[in-house]
């Protein structure tokens, strides 16, 4: 599709896609002058810049601020820049950034005026639909309604009013069509004294249809009476034809008279509009068209407007917000909220915008809905006490046209409720705290962090590590426990993490200290590309923890530098800053669109409330799946920080949430590295829940005595050294330090070696001595035994007794051969010891050289 600036009659419209398109005009000035133009720039999804170059394509110094400021919805702003003499090339450049499905509203420019030109080269005839009745006119005038003109006209020609009509700036007249049901509307008159309202039918102005044609519809008769609906809550009917607000200190549901609040209670002020027979006094309607003024001042109770691209506007003005007396110190950041129930029925590209204006400075689009939407409720939270104007703007189509083809496309707003409005009325009463001296029903404000005790209606402080509900303070149940690993601040308004976490694992205590990571951590992921090829990045800022839950992460819009300190120090206007625990900006690099520097836009809050910190992967419906991040390399458990955002969107009806997984990684020193899941490169898979992995050595637990071991050295010169070293790999940080090396006295190795050698030598000598002793003993025993055997044998011999059977002294025994079947020494000893009686003996044969007669 071709992108360009498109002429729309009396203004020119920019592109709506994410292309970069420039409107260029070159002019040669004889003297210095200026350029002036009017514009509408309401959508920050488009970057709009205006700058000037010379004939050398160099940017002129006169362009001090090339970025054009946003305007309020429906209002024209003006911009002027001085021009130098010579050639000036003017650039109006727009770049759409389409990261979502929301409609983009184009930039509109009109009435471009340049002064400093010496003369004009020619005069241009007025275009059709305009005229000039004076020579040398500066510009042409637009033909009024029901007239037309051709090119170069000096005056406008009237249409045949009975059969023709024309809009402003028409070049021809159009035949009036027959009237249909789309050409009239129904209203109710104010209630009369009888409590009746009349149904009235009126033609939509300006009337362009004819009743006298064959197929025309006639206007239905008016005057039918019906019962009036009740007054809105907080109002009453005193018998007159209108509803009046209840006096201060009283309340009503709209059907009964106002009654005073009972003792110990106070009125819950606000507005609740659900009956629309009469428009409330603090609301008004209007009509606006960017291209013309034909619907200005039109009564749009019909919901028709002048054409399909008109903006039908409903405004609600509230001078301020203030919580009830008892909740003054307990509301925290929320002062009130506005809730409305609506539905849209559309056959074209209709859009409903909800906008907020604070202190009449600028109107910002808070949320928008395109196309048909079923009946639903939307809530916007108020955080500051200021004058607010809430605006609902409905446009049937954003295509420029002057007809009413989509007259049946509509938005239905069923109810609008605003709480804690300063000038509000009460539909009910709520319990309040009474002073110590109970003086009637006078209410006193509770100090911050106190709830109202039901039994006594006295203020009582919430227990430790609980925070006070922002919706009610009655009863102890108003004190909500903080999440795991968190504590409450002194006022019991928020829960926060002090950056310290404790966990018990397998009889081992793990202490974490994330203080060095409490400052803002940043992540730039991408790049990503739009459908038209625009390169962009997502920039995240994370404030992990901190004292009293202070939010430090800031994201900015329309900046060229990420140094937030410079932005804050150099400006008192923080409207382009959003602060939270986690926020996101969209960054368009300078080379992507030819800008001089990078651009930041679409800053959103991802987390403004701390939920808790735990090693578990699930907390309050936020779940970190196991396969979302790589498996940790150690047994040290990951620590998870959970957050949520209180702001809801059409796609995130429960608000956004964020989970940050802290992982111990000794190789990532300092701030470490932040990453997103590989399956969700934008940090989120559904646009509502964001996940981050933060790896750092600072995410490791504090060191304990379980993280080191001792090594004993050798004993040298009577001393032994003991060293202490960390376990490898080291999965801890800070904590306790390694003990100093230990030196202890000891006996040297030489002494013990000598002792061992001495003991060994003594043992060897002893063994040798014992061996010799037992050997000699054995010899003696053998001798005695042999002698005993010979003695025993001699008693059985028949030879004459001899002096001895043994070898006589002096006899030669060299030739004796003794055969003996001897028992072992052990057997012999055993026989002697037991004195056996059996005939256990040895047979001994003696051979000698003597005569056998002996």
């Amino acid at each position: 599709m071709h992108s360009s600036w498109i002429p729309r009659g009396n203004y020119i419209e920019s592109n709506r896609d994410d292309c970069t398109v420039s409107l260029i005009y070159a002019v040669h000035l004889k003297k210095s002058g200026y350029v002036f133009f009017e514009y509408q720039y309401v959508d920050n999804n488009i970057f709009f810049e205006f700058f000037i170059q010379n004939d050398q394509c160099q940017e002129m110094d006169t362009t001090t601020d090339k970025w054009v400021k946003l305007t309020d919805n429906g209002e024209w702003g003006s911009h002027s820049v001085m021009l130098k003499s010579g050639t000036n090339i003017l650039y109006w450049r727009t770049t759409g950034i389409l990261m979502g499905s929301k409609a983009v509203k184009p930039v509109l420019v009109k009435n471009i005026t340049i002064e400093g030109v010496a003369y004009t080269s020619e005069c241009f005839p007025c275009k059709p639909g305009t005229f000039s009745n004076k020579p040398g006119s500066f510009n042409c005038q637009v033909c009024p309604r029901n007239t037309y003109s051709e090119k170069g006209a000096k005056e406008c020609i009237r249409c045949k009013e009975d059969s023709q009509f024309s809009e402003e700036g028409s070049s021809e007249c159009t035949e009036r069509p027959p009237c249909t049901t789309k050409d009239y509307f129904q209203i109710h008159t104010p209630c009369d004294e009888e409590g009746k309202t009349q149904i009235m039918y009126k033609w939509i102005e300006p009337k362009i249809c004819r009743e006298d044609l064959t197929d025309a519809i006639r206007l239905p008769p008016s005057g039918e009476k019906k019962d009036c609906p009740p007054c809105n809550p907080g109002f009453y009917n005193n018998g007159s034809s209108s509803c009046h607000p209840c006096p201060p200190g009283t309340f009503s549901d709209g059907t009964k008279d106002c009654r005073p609040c009972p003792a110990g209670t106070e009125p819950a002020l606000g507005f609740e509009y659900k009956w629309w027979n009469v428009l409330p006094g603090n609301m008004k309607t209007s009509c606006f068209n960017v291209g013309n003024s034909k619907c200005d001042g039109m009564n749009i109770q019909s919901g028709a407007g002048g054409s399909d691209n008109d903006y039908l506007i409903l405004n609600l003005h509230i001078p301020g917000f203030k919580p009830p007396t008892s909740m003054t110190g307990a509301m925290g950041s929320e002062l009130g909220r506005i809730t409305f129930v609506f539905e849209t029925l559309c056959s074209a590209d209709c859009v409903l915008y909800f906008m907020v204006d604070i202190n009449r400075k600028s109107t910002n689009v808070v949320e928008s809905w395109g196309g048909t939407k079923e009946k639903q409720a939307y809530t916007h939270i108020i955080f500051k006490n200021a004058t607010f104007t809430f605006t609902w703007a409905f446009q049937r189509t954003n295509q420029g046209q002057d007809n009413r083809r989509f007259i049946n496309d509509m938005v239905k707003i069923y109810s609008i409720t605003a709480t804690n409005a300063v000038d509000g009325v009460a539909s009910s009463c709520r319990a309040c705290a009474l002073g110590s001296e109970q003086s009637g029903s006078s209410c006193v404000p509770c100090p911050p962090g106190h709830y109202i005790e039901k039994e006594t209606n006295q203020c009582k402080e919430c227990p430790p590590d609980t925070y006070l509900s922002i919706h009610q303070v009655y009863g102890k149940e108003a004190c909500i426990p903080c999440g795991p690993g968190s504590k409450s601040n002194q006022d019991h308004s928020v829960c926060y993490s002090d950056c310290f976490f404790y966990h018990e694992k397998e009889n081992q205590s793990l202490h974490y200290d994330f203080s060095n990571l409490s400052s803002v951590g940043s992540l730039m992921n991408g790049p990503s590309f739009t459908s038209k090829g625009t390169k962009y990045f997502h920039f995240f800022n994370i404030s992990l923890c901190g004292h009293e839950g202070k939010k430090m992460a800031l994201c900015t819009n329309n900046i060229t530098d990420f140094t937030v300190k410079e932005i804050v120090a150099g400006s008192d206007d923080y409207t382009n800053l959003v602060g939270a625990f986690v926020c996101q900006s969209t960054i368009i690099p300078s080379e992507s669109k030819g800008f001089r520097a990078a651009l930041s836009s679409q800053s959103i809050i991802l987390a403004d409330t701390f939920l808790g910190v735990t090693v578990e992967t699930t907390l309050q419906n936020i779940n970190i799946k196991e396969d979302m991040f790589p498996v940790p390399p150690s047994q040290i458990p990951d620590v998870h920080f959970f957050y949520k955002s209180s702001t809801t969107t059409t796609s995130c009806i429960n608000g956004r949430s964020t989970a940050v997984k802290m992982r111990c990684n000794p190789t990532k020193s300092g701030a470490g590295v932040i990453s997103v899941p590989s399956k969700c490169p934008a940090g989120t898979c559904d646009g509502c829940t964001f996940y981050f992995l933060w790896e750092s050595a600072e995410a490791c637990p504090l060191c304990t005595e379980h993280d080191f071991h001792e090594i004993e050295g050798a004993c040298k010169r009577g001393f032994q050294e003991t060293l202490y070293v960390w376990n490898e790999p080291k999965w801890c940080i800070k904590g306790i330090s390694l003990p100093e090396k230990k030196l202890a006295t000891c006996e040297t190795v030489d002494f013990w070696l000598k002792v061992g050698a001495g003991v060994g030598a003594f043992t060897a000598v002893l063994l040798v001595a014992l061996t010799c002793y037992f050997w000699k003993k054995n010899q003696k025993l053998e001798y005695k035994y042999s002698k005993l055997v010979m003695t025993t044998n001699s008693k059985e011999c028949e030879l004459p007794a001899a002096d001895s059977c043994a070898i006589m002294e002096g006899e030669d025994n060299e030739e004796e051969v003794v055969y003996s079947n001897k028992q072992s020494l052990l057997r012999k000893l055993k026989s002697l010891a037991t004195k056996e009686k059996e005939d256990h003996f040895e047979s001994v044969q003696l051979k000698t050289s003597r005569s056998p007669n002996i």
Side-chain angles (χ1 to χ4, degrees):
M1 179 180 176
H2 181 66
S3 297
S4 65
W5 287 76
I6 305 172
R8 295 293 188 188
N10 60 347
Y11 65 91
I12 188 168
E13 178 183 290
S14 74
N15 60 312
R16 298 170 183 264
D17 54 23
D18 58 344
C19 292
T20 298
V21 179
S22 296
L23 175 66
I24 305 173
Y25 182 76
V27 61
H28 186 80
L29 301 186
K30 296 295 184 181
K31 59 179 182 178
S32 60
Y34 69 90
V35 57
F36 170 88
F37 62 91
E38 295 180 70
Y39 69 95
Q40 274 196 22
Y41 176 33
V42 298
D43 195 340
N44 59 7
N45 287 318
I46 291 184
F47 294 120
F48 180 33
E49 54 183 337
F50 174 74
F51 58 95
I52 304 168
Q53 292 183 351
N54 58 19
D55 53 0
Q56 303 297 320
C57 294
Q58 297 173 337
E59 204 159 311
M60 306 286 278
D61 296 335
T62 54
T63 311
T64 56
D65 186 9
K66 66 182 297 184
W67 304 108
V68 183
K69 295 181 180 180
L70 289 167
T71 61
D72 292 342
N73 199 69
E75 295 186 5
W76 290 90
S78 61
H79 191 82
S80 62
V81 177
M82 296 297 297
L83 300 178
K84 294 182 179 180
S85 59
T87 301
N88 292 264
I89 305 175
L90 314 181
Y91 287 85
W92 291 265
R93 185 161 67 180
T94 57
T95 301
I97 307 299
L98 302 180
M99 250 61 76
S101 58
K102 292 185 178 180
V104 175
K105 301 184 70 175
V107 176
L108 310 180
V109 175
K110 69 176 183 178
N111 295 339
I112 301 175
T113 303
I114 299 175
E115 284 199 1
V117 182
Y119 60 90
T120 179
S121 58
E122 60 178 316
C123 293
F124 298 96
C126 291
K127 65 178 183 179
T130 62
F131 71 100
S132 175
N133 55 5
K134 294 180 180 180
S137 295
F138 184 73
N139 54 18
C140 299
Q141 302 178 43
V142 179
C143 288
R145 188 185 302 277
N146 292 329
T147 64
Y148 74 98
S149 70
E150 297 177 351
K151 183 177 180 180
K154 295 181 180 180
E155 61 180 7
C156 297
I157 305 172
R158 297 189 65 83
C159 299
K160 297 178 182 179
E161 292 190 9
D162 57 344
S163 61
Q164 295 178 332
F165 78 100
S166 69
E167 302 290 349
E168 288 182 350
S170 297
S171 60
E172 60 182 359
C173 294
T174 305
E175 293 294 325
R176 293 181 181 272
C179 292
T180 65
T181 55
K182 298 179 180 181
D183 294 306
Y184 67 85
F185 64 96
Q186 169 189 307
I187 62 171
H188 292 78
T189 62
C191 295
D192 57 20
E193 296 180 357
E194 299 177 357
K196 300 290 185 179
T197 179
Q198 295 187 39
I199 300 176
M200 308 296 293
Y201 296 94
K202 293 184 177 181
W203 294 111
I204 295 175
E205 297 294 339
K207 182 183 177 184
I208 61 174
C209 65
R210 292 177 60 181
E211 300 177 67
D212 55 350
L213 296 178
T214 305
D215 299 332
I217 297 295
R218 299 299 180 96
L219 191 67
S222 300
E224 180 185 357
K225 288 190 174 184
K226 288 189 175 182
D227 292 335
C228 285
C231 295
N232 281 308
F235 292 82
Y236 74 102
N237 191 322
N238 59 358
S240 64
S241 59
S242 60
C243 296
H244 301 275
C246 286
T250 63
F251 73 100
S252 172
D253 62 357
T255 62
K256 302 175 183 177
D257 293 336
C258 300
R259 294 170 293 169
C261 288
T265 65
E266 61 179 336
L269 299 179
F271 294 106
E272 183 181 358
Y273 297 131
K274 59 183 181 180
W275 303 109
W276 301 100
N277 56 314
V278 176
L279 198 65
N282 58 351
M283 300 185 73
K284 67 177 183 178
T285 61
S286 59
C287 179
F288 171 77
N289 190 295
V290 296
N292 53 63
S293 58
K294 62 185 179 183
C295 79
D296 292 359
M298 181 183 294
N299 180 356
I300 65 160
Q301 284 183 301
S302 62
S307 57
D308 287 341
N309 65 342
D310 290 343
Y311 286 96
L312 308 181
I313 299 173
L314 175 67
N315 298 108
L316 169 62
H317 178 75
I318 296 180
F321 287 86
K322 181 182 179 182
T325 304
S326 299
M327 300 180 68
T328 300
M331 288 292 286
S333 58
E334 179 178 331
L335 291 180
R337 53 179 57 197
I338 182 168
T339 303
F340 58 94
V341 179
F342 72 99
E343 104 180 278
T344 56
L345 303 172
C346 300
S347 59
D349 55 338
C350 72
V351 182
L352 172 65
Y353 298 93
F354 174 64
M355 298 172 286
V356 176
D357 175 275
I358 302 177
N359 291 331
R360 301 182 184 276
K361 288 186 176 181
S362 61
T363 302
N364 296 315
V365 177
V366 176
E367 191 60 82
S368 62
W369 299 266
T372 298
K373 298 295 179 184
E374 61 183 11
K375 189 176 180 179
Q376 59 184 282
Y378 178 80
T379 298
H380 177 68
I381 300 176
I382 309 300
F383 294 101
K384 63 183 296 185
N385 184 19
T387 300
F388 281 82
T389 298
F390 301 100
T391 301
W392 293 262
F394 179 69
Q395 187 182 39
R396 290 184 172 91
T397 178
N398 58 18
Q399 303 300 322
Q401 54 187 351
D402 292 329
N403 51 26
R404 296 173 179 169
R405 291 189 302 156
F406 308 115
I407 192 68
N408 289 330
D409 292 3
M410 67 183 72
V411 57
K412 294 181 180 180
I413 297 179
Y414 294 95
S415 65
I416 299 176
T417 304
T419 63
N420 302 331
V422 168
D423 60 345
V425 294
S427 60
S428 62
C429 300
R430 73 173 79 201
C432 67
L434 300 177
S436 56
E437 300 178 0
Q438 297 186 10
S439 55
S441 61
S442 61
C443 296
V444 297
C446 283
H450 287 62
Y451 67 96
I452 304 173
E453 195 174 36
K454 290 182 178 180
E455 291 77 13
T456 62
N457 269 33
Q458 300 293 312
C459 298
K460 191 172 182 179
E461 186 176 4
C462 282
D465 296 335
T466 63
Y467 68 97
L468 194 62
S469 169
I470 60 177
H471 302 300
Q472 62 98 13
V473 295
Y474 192 61
K476 191 174 182 179
E477 58 270 17
C479 301
I480 305 173
C482 291
S486 61
K487 57 180 65 177
S488 62
N489 61 351
Q490 185 176 0
D491 294 340
H492 296 277
S493 59
V494 296
C495 296
Y496 70 98
S497 168
D498 59 0
C499 299
F500 292 92
F501 179 69
Y502 169 81
H503 174 62
E504 191 78 22
K505 177 180 180 290
E506 297 177 358
N507 298 325
Q508 181 181 357
S509 299
L510 298 179
H511 294 263
Y512 295 83
D513 181 5
F514 300 104
S515 301
N516 290 341
L517 301 178
S518 62
S519 59
V520 178
S522 300
L523 167 66
M524 178 91 76
N525 74 326
S528 301
F529 298 88
T530 64
S531 58
K532 293 294 182 68
T534 301
K535 181 180 179 181
Y536 68 93
F537 297 85
H538 282 141
F539 181 71
F540 298 94
N541 272 334
I542 301 175
S543 178
L544 189 69
C545 53
H547 182 64
E548 297 291 312
K550 184 179 180 181
K551 304 168 187 175
M552 295 175 290
L554 295 176
C555 293
T556 60
N557 287 336
N558 294 338
I559 63 170
T560 58
D561 189 359
F562 301 136
T563 308
V564 177
K565 292 181 181 179
E566 297 180 3
I567 300 167
V568 176
S571 173
D572 294 330
D573 185 10
Y574 303 106
T575 55
N576 286 334
L577 291 174
V578 296
F581 286 110
V582 185
C583 60
Q584 171 193 305
S585 295
T586 301
I587 307 297
I588 296 92
S590 57
E591 70 273 10
S592 179
K593 291 293 182 180
F595 298 138
R596 292 181 300 176
L599 299 179
S600 175
S601 72
Q602 296 181 331
S603 297
I604 58 175
I605 293 175
L606 302 183
D608 56 13
T609 303
F610 178 72
L611 298 180
V613 52
T614 175
V615 296
E616 303 297 329
T617 56
T618 302
L619 182 65
Q620 295 191 17
N621 298 324
I622 306 174
N623 180 36
I624 305 176
K625 297 180 180 179
E626 294 183 359
D627 59 348
M628 190 164 287
F629 294 105
V631 178
S634 73
Q635 297 300 319
I636 301 297
D638 295 333
V639 180
H640 307 107
F641 285 74
F642 293 92
Y643 310 86
K644 72 173 183 178
S645 171
S646 57
T647 304
T648 60
T649 63
T650 53
S651 57
C652 304
I653 58 176
N654 295 321
R656 298 183 177 94
S657 56
T658 302
V660 181
K661 178 187 282 284
M662 306 301 298
R663 176 167 294 175
C664 172
N665 191 334
T667 63
K668 311 289 185 183
S669 60
V673 176
I674 303 176
S675 59
V676 295
S678 57
K679 295 182 179 179
C680 311
T684 177
C685 297
D686 58 2
C688 298
T689 306
F690 291 77
Y691 302 95
F692 301 94
L693 173 63
W694 195 336
E695 297 180 274
S696 171
E698 298 291 338
C700 295
L702 301 181
C703 294
T704 65
E705 61 274 6
H706 299 286
D707 295 304
F708 62 83
H709 61 279
E710 63 179 27
I711 299 177
E712 293 184 350
C715 187
K716 296 180 180 179
R717 299 177 182 177
F719 294 96
Q720 185 181 34
E721 192 176 62
T722 303
L723 299 176
Y724 298 89
V725 295
W726 295 112
N727 298 334
E728 292 295 339
K730 182 184 176 184
W731 295 103
C732 66
I733 192 172
K734 295 182 291 189
I736 65 172
S737 302
L738 280 177
E740 296 291 336
K741 63 181 180 180
K742 186 171 62 176
L743 204 63
T745 59
C746 63
E747 298 292 341
T748 62
V749 177
D750 294 341
F751 171 79
W752 291 108
L753 187 60
K754 292 177 181 178
V755 171
V759 171
F762 174 78
T763 304
V765 171
L766 181 62
L767 289 174
V768 171
L770 288 174
T771 302
C772 293
Y773 169 77
F774 284 110
W775 182 80
K776 281 189 169 288
K777 193 80 172 174
N778 184 49
Q779 292 295 320
K780 289 180 179 180
L781 287 174
E782 286 186 358
Y783 174 76
K784 288 181 179 181
Y785 178 73
S786 300
K787 191 174 181 181
L788 180 62
V789 171
M790 292 176 65
T791 303
T792 303
N793 290 336
S794 65
K795 289 180 181 182
E796 298 176 357
C797 185
E798 294 179 355
L799 293 177
D803 293 336
S804 175
C805 291
I807 300 176
M808 299 303 292
E809 185 176 348
E811 293 180 343
D812 185 10
N813 61 349
E814 292 179 358
E815 298 180 358
E816 281 187 350
V817 179
V818 181
Y819 297 93
S820 174
N821 185 16
K822 296 184 288 184
Q823 295 176 320
S824 66
L825 176 63
L826 181 61
R827 184 71 174 269
K828 293 175 181 180
L829 292 176
K830 186 176 180 180
S831 299
L832 289 176
T834 56
K835 297 181 181 180
E836 294 180 3
K837 300 300 181 179
E838 293 88 350
D839 292 329
H840 294 287
F841 59 91
E842 293 179 341
S843 184
V844 178
Q845 292 183 1
L846 300 175
K847 288 186 180 182
T848 181
S849 58
R850 291 188 180 183
S851 170
N853 294 324
I854 294 177

